Every structure is written in structure tokens, then in C-alpha cells.
Amino acid sequence: MKAIIPVAGVGTRLRPHTFSHPKVLLNVAGKPIIGHIMDKLIASGIDEAIVIVGYLGDMVEKWLRAHYSIKFTFVTQTELLGLAHAIWMCKPYIIKDEPLFIILGDTIFDVDLESVLKSPVSTLGVKEVEDPRRFGVAVTDGEKILKLVEKPDTPVSNLAIVGLYFLQRAGSLFASIDHLIDNGIRTKGEYQLTDALQFMIEGGEPFTTFPVHGWYDCGKPETLLATNEILLKNNVATKTFPGCIINDPVFIADSAVLENAIIGPYTTIGEQAVITNVIIRNSIIGYNARVAHIMLDHSIVGNNAFITGSSQEINIGDYSEIRVG
Ligand code: UTP
């Protein structure tokens, strides 16, 4: 089955890291965000992916083609006009009567996808959230979806739509997006996928929901670190390092060099990183970063960055150079 994966966004909330890398290639628990997603999709029977790229799209395409051998089609969305618009750009590559799975490229999930892909009706992944105002939400009768509302100002439901969509028939969704675009129907300035799905529901198409218990947001520094912590849960270091104490769970790349360090728990150390005389926990350290004489907690250090000094909480991008006194 085909999956559409939209990843055209700029990832502003993850700056400075997204100045030099697309969000989906940021490392979490030892591999890029999109790597976690692809592994699950392929294990569940997805054999073709249409990836909507935009900002730093060449890097995404290069990485995916180098790491996976399924069929890829890359579609470029030059203007970020919303998720429905992004998906609409895939129209030439879709077969109307085939089912279709859509997953946001920054949503790492833990769900029985094989069963979802066999659903006899269209179904949307949902999760109960405390504050639904920043999500599209589903109002249900306990089974069927009655209506969808994008970012509700009043609390109509706390079932947030979290970025996994299974459509029984791709053609109905594309007809619905055509309707939005032909009539210029935007919400909060964008062509919203929620609005397209709501139009299908109004047209009589049945939709159900499926629970996404494991939903790991990677959109902001604090959620990226929280996701790193959850995904590392059972990970242990594969080798020992001179003068180091490793508190699992951690991910330490094989080519990383560590000396006189206390690492972990919940720490990812990228390839070729050089780490000396440090205490680091709950953090992500990028490729070829150099970290020395410092204590870091809840920190993200970009690729090729260099930091030396004393105890801090930081969030620095690629190629940064910081000397704390
Ligand atoms: P987000 O709005 O959460 O991601 O869109 P973003 O734009 O990358 O991040 P911020 O808000 O600037 O920090 C959710 C997903 O939908 C894709 C994004 O790439 C992301 O994977 N998307 C969104 C598109 O591909 N095109 C769009 O027009 C909108």
C-alpha cells in the first residue's frame, strides 16, 4: 500500500537545529525522526511512499534513497499552503480506487498499523489530550465520527487527530480537497486536511477512529527530548569506554569517542562525537560534536558544534562554538 508523508515544513519551532537540517532528519534515540517512521511503515506492509518535500527537501530525498529500497516519489511543495494543499499535490501519483495511508513526517507512533491498514472503513488516529485547542479534534458517537473541528476555540472534544489517516478510497479525499481549493476554503489561512475530511463526512462517508497510545511529538526541543527519553527506554550501550560510567538507557554511536565521562540516562551521542570530562544526561549530542569539561542536562547540541565550560542547560545548533567560563 502507498503512504503519503508530508515533510515540506520549515520546522521553525526547532530552530536553530532546523537552520541546517530538515526537522525530520534530526536525530532522536540514534536515528533521524523519519527513520523511526519509515521502519514502522515498512514493517507494516507499506511498499511505496510519496514524500512531499519543500524546505531542505534535497537532504530528505538523499537520506531516504540511501537508507530504504522501497519505491519513492518526491513531490515538491514550494508554497506552504497547508496540509490539504500538500496532499493535493500528490494527485498525479494516486489511484482513485485504492486505499491510502497518510502520516505526518514528524509523528513517531506506536500503533498496530497492520490492523489499521486492513480497516473496512476510513479511520483516523486519535489521542485524548488535555488541551485540544492546538489540534484538529474528532467528535464521535463512541464509534463513528460525527464531525471534525480544526483547532476548536470551545472544547467540543478532547480526541485530538494526531497525524495518522487511513482512507478507504483515495479518490474521495482528492475530490474533497479539489472542493476546498476550487472554492478557496481555508481555515486560519491554510487548506486544512481536517476541513477536507469534514467535507467527506458531510457527504456521507463513514469514518471511525483508532487509538494512538504511543504518539511521540518531535516538534519542539522539549518534546524532542521527551521522545528521545521514551524511545531509548530499552536501549543499552554496546561497548565500554575508558574512565566512563554509562547509565543506561543511552544510545552511543559506534564511532563516538568518550573519555572520563558520566553519560546517561536518556542520552543520545551521535557518530564521531568526541566527549571528554563531562557529565551528560537527558540530552542529544549531534554528529561530530565536541563536548568537554561540562555538565549538561536536557540539552541538544547540534552537529559539528563545540562546547566547553561548566554546568548549563542549553539548546545550540550546528557549528555553534561556546566557551562557558
Ligand atoms: P507542522 O506545522 O507541525 O510542521 O506540520 P512544521 O511547519 O515543519 O513546523 P513548525 O510549525 O514550523 O515548527 C506538520 C507536518 O506537515 C507538514 C510539515 O512538514 C510537518 O511534517 N506540512 C505542513 C507540509 O508538508 N506542508 C504544509 O503546507 C504544512
Side-chain angles (χ1 to χ4, degrees):
M1 189 182 300
K2 277 194 190 82
I4 293 185
I5 313 174
V7 299
V10 175
T12 43
R13 289 166 299 160
L14 270 168
R15 285 176 178 164
H17 307 286
T18 46
F19 281 131
S20 46
H21 279 80
K23 172 163 65 178
V24 297
L25 290 190
L26 297 182
N27 190 330
V28 58
K31 66 181 143 182
I33 296 167
I34 200 162
H36 292 276
I37 297 170
M38 289 306 300
D39 290 347
K40 292 238 169 70
L41 292 182
I42 291 168
S44 310
I46 295 292
D47 55 6
E48 190 178 337
I50 305 173
V51 186
I52 303 146
V53 291
Y55 177 71
L56 301 178
D58 290 353
M59 290 170 81
V60 179
E61 176 168 355
K62 198 168 156 204
W63 192 86
L64 284 173
R65 289 201 191 279
H67 289 84
Y68 299 96
S69 53
I70 63 165
K71 181 178 176 203
F72 283 109
T73 304
F74 290 87
V75 174
T76 303
Q77 186 192 24
T78 43
E79 247 189 307
L80 293 173
L81 296 178
L83 210 45
H85 174 263
I87 288 156
W88 179 73
M89 302 205 52
C90 304
K91 204 173 172 183
Y93 310 101
I94 293 296
I95 297 171
K96 272 189 186 171
D97 292 321
E98 278 186 358
L100 177 67
F101 186 65
I102 300 171
I103 176 156
L104 302 188
D106 56 356
T107 303
I108 299 180
F109 61 91
D110 191 4
V111 107
D112 176 8
L113 197 56
E114 262 176 87
S115 323
V116 171
L117 299 180
K118 285 185 201 136
S119 170
V121 285
S122 296
T123 183
L124 310 182
V126 293
K127 183 168 171 61
E128 270 186 41
V129 293
E130 269 174 30
D131 181 6
R133 279 172 302 184
R134 63 187 187 93
F135 297 95
V137 297
V139 180
T140 72
D141 64 3
E143 209 174 302
K144 252 178 71 182
I145 298 180
L146 302 174
K147 100 176 154 169
L148 302 174
V149 186
E150 181 62 34
K151 300 191 179 76
D153 293 325
T154 49
V156 284
S157 161
N158 63 351
L159 283 184
I161 305 164
V162 292
L164 296 93
Y165 312 80
F166 173 72
L167 284 310
Q168 252 306 314
R169 204 182 147 269
S172 321
L173 173 65
F174 281 84
S176 182
I177 304 179
D178 278 343
H179 167 78
L180 295 188
I181 291 178
D182 291 348
N183 295 287
I185 301 171
R186 303 186 191 205
T187 300
K188 305 204 159 90
E190 292 189 353
Y191 293 111
Q192 304 283 357
L193 182 55
T194 311
D195 290 342
L197 297 167
Q198 170 60 19
F199 189 63
M200 290 166 74
I201 291 168
E202 283 166 20
E205 173 124 1
F207 271 90
T208 59
T209 60
F210 62 94
V212 183
H213 300 298
W215 170 65
Y216 311 123
D217 183 29
C218 297
K220 299 183 281 182
E222 57 274 27
T223 59
L224 191 71
L225 287 169
T227 297
N228 184 57
E229 181 173 331
I230 291 163
L231 298 181
L232 281 177
K233 205 169 45 199
N234 300 317
N235 233 70
V236 291
T238 50
K239 59 182 193 184
T240 55
F241 298 88
C244 293
I245 299 172
I246 308 293
N247 296 317
D248 291 319
V250 295
F251 171 87
I252 302 175
D254 281 346
S255 58
V257 177
L258 276 70
E259 234 182 84
N260 299 326
I262 303 177
I263 304 292
Y266 308 116
T267 298
T268 292
I269 309 274
E271 295 289 348
Q272 293 176 39
V274 179
I275 311 290
T276 45
N277 303 306
V278 299
I279 300 176
I280 304 177
R281 58 182 173 234
N282 308 307
S283 296
I284 301 174
I285 310 297
Y287 161 85
N288 199 37
R290 283 179 301 144
V291 184
H293 303 289
I294 199 162
M295 196 177 115
L296 297 178
D297 191 6
H298 286 99
S299 299
I300 306 174
V301 175
N303 302 325
N304 304 297
F306 169 54
I307 177 156
T308 176
S310 55
S311 173
Q312 300 295 326
E313 188 171 308
I314 56 163
N315 178 22
I316 61 168
D318 300 356
Y319 295 98
S320 309
E321 192 165 324
I322 296 181
R323 293 164 208 275
V324 184

